[in-house]
Amino acid sequence: MRRSIVWILVLFFVATAISYSFAQTIEVGIVLPTKDEPRWIQDEARFNDALKTAGYSAEILFSQGSSAREKENVEALITKGAKILIICPHDATAAAASADEAREAGLKVISYDRLILETESVDYYVTFDSIAVGAAQAQYLVDKASGTGNPLYLYAGAATDNNSFLFFEGAWNVLQPKIADGTFVIKNSSKAIDLQGKAELTRAEMGDILGQVTTEWDFTTAKNLAEANLTVAEVADKGDVFILAPNDGTSRAIADAFADDKDIKSYVISGQDAEIPSVQYIIDGKQSMTVLKDVRTLVKDASDAAVTFLEGGVPEATHTYNNGRIDVPAKPSQVISVDKGNVKAAIIDSGYWDASEFTGLD
Ligand code: BGC
């Protein structure tokens, strides 16, 4: 009797261990950069929606702005048997080691929204057209400006993110002719002023400008930088101003700083991501525009690419992006410029966000 109880217990533990290890197996591992920005919570939510019908098992982990944590996440997903890694790198170059590790373990690596640099271990890149994002931001400022001598304040994303360069390049393409013809006068970057005669900038030149105007994609850094710029600016550098802000989180922070300055009479400011708080800022007239990058499309492209790889195929590519080592195949998606005039059609009527998220919509 005692012996059979022991055997039953042993069998029970073995069965539990086996089912536990099966339950832990996943096919697709997803790594996102941080939970601290609404943008990436959007991606998590949209992935969770997509995963209900995806037909594969997946797990989402966050790196919380740490490349070390990101590496641990990738290793955990490899251990769980993932066949595909979908990863949005915190730091483009630091993530190369994780991509290499995944490739060595036999995974396909999909770079998600941000390109991983300086490695051959990237199989596909799902992205929006980031040059078009920067161009849309700048075009909005250009369309709202009249006359000459309009004060222009430039801000950018983190230099560890390849997108920051693409956004800036897209914006510079549109702004530079309008700086050259006197419509705008740059007020917060001596490096940008030094380079304002050049239609095209090298990456190193953009890096120099970013060094002066980076927000690090961080709200506090953005607010402090804007306040510091306003502190040294003369009254004549203020008045009706134009602000290139790289995304919604930094746009709200910079907008708040400019709104607090008594010598600022009005400001036009860009953004991107259509985050709920920024859509509210647009409705309230506190942020001028955002660029809608429909995350549902990006998630679908990443999911479709994962399924194609799982079935042994190769996902469709319309473009390539050079990551310093190879040309990575990609299919960039289009973006939409949104302001108070089309916010209801683009954001609510399209089903992107529910009207109940906002006040003052009519
Ligand atoms: C993304 C943006 C995001 C930013 C900060 C960029 O790489 O493309 O959508 O706002 O990172 O997280």
Side-chain angles (χ1 to χ4, degrees):
M1 181 65 187
R2 274 205 28 211
R3 193 179 268 188
S4 52
I5 288 175
V6 169
W7 271 110
I8 287 167
L9 280 175
V10 167
L11 281 173
F12 174 76
F13 281 121
V14 169
T16 311
I18 289 173
S19 66
Y20 185 70
S21 69
F22 273 124
Q24 290 287 295
T25 303
I26 49 155
E27 285 163 295
V28 178
I30 302 165
V31 181
L32 295 175
T34 179
K35 278 193 174 203
D36 297 338
E37 292 173 40
R39 159 70 216 263
W40 305 112
I41 302 288
Q42 267 194 56
D43 295 68
E44 180 191 34
R46 308 289 189 191
F47 262 119
N48 281 330
D49 285 346
L51 291 175
K52 286 179 199 140
T53 54
Y56 57 77
S57 56
E59 183 170 345
I60 306 175
L61 299 175
F62 281 88
S63 309
Q64 292 312 105
S66 153
S67 294
R69 174 93 169 262
E70 182 178 83
K71 196 158 182 294
E72 285 164 21
N73 285 341
V74 170
E75 283 163 3
L77 294 166
I78 294 172
T79 306
K80 289 185 179 183
K83 305 277 178 295
I84 311 286
L85 175 66
I86 297 175
I87 175 169
C88 180
H90 162 62
D91 176 314
T93 317
S98 298
D100 291 346
E101 217 173 317
R103 165 74 61 88
E104 266 159 44
L107 284 78
K108 293 286 185 195
V109 178
I110 300 174
S111 211
Y112 179 83
D113 193 287
R114 299 176 178 171
L115 186 58
I116 303 171
L117 298 180
E118 301 302 336
T119 172
E120 292 178 9
S121 308
V122 186
D123 294 285
Y124 194 62
Y125 179 31
V126 291
T127 182
F128 295 100
D129 182 344
S130 295
I131 299 264
V133 172
Q137 294 172 332
Q139 192 59 52
Y140 195 85
L141 305 187
V142 168
D143 291 346
K144 294 290 167 188
S146 57
T148 55
N150 296 288
L152 176 66
Y153 291 80
L154 301 171
Y155 297 96
T160 49
D161 177 0
N162 187 55
N163 286 345
S164 303
F165 291 84
L166 300 178
F167 300 145
F168 195 83
E169 182 183 340
W172 188 261
N173 290 343
V174 175
L175 288 175
Q176 191 275 336
K178 293 292 175 184
I179 297 164
D181 76 5
T183 305
F184 293 118
V185 182
I186 301 168
K187 294 296 178 186
N188 69 329
S189 167
S190 59
K191 297 277 185 196
I193 292 169
D194 287 347
L195 294 161
Q196 65 189 9
K198 287 194 72 179
E200 278 177 34
L201 302 177
T202 64
R203 195 173 171 103
E205 288 168 339
M206 282 192 277
D208 285 344
I209 300 175
L210 257 64
Q212 291 184 326
V213 302
T214 182
T215 59
E216 303 290 354
W217 290 135
D218 176 65
F219 316 147
T220 312
T221 308
K223 189 159 191 289
N224 291 343
L225 179 61
E227 283 170 356
N229 292 159
L230 287 164
T231 302
V232 297
E234 305 284 336
V235 174
D237 300 329
K238 299 184 182 177
D240 299 308
V241 304
F242 293 79
I243 310 166
L244 178 75
N247 76 346
D248 280 351
T250 60
S251 182
R252 295 192 300 278
I254 295 165
D256 289 348
F258 275 75
D260 274 353
D261 189 300
K262 65 175 178 20
D263 297 317
I264 297 294
K265 284 203 271 165
S266 73
Y267 61 84
V268 178
I269 188 166
S270 60
Q272 77 165 294
D273 292 335
E275 289 181 354
I276 289 172
S278 277
V279 173
Q280 187 64 56
Y281 259 46
I282 290 173
I283 297 166
D284 297 341
K286 298 201 286 186
Q287 181 177 323
S288 314
M289 64 89 71
T290 187
V291 180
L292 169 63
K293 307 197 302 185
D294 192 326
V295 172
R296 294 171 300 188
T297 307
L298 201 64
V299 163
K300 181 166 186 318
D301 287 349
S303 265
D304 288 352
V307 169
T308 304
F309 279 132
L310 284 170
E311 289 170 350
V314 177
E316 183 203 343
T318 56
H319 269 65
T320 58
Y321 287 79
N322 191 277
N323 79 342
R325 293 288 174 85
I326 52 164
D327 289 328
V328 183
K331 191 169 89 80
S333 300
Q334 293 315 303
V335 299
I336 301 172
S337 193
V338 179
D339 73 354
K340 214 169 183 168
N342 67 344
V343 68
K344 197 165 167 300
I347 303 290
I348 313 297
D349 300 347
S350 70
Y352 198 68
W353 295 126
D354 198 87
S356 63
E357 301 283 358
F358 308 104
T359 57
L361 257 183
D362 35 43

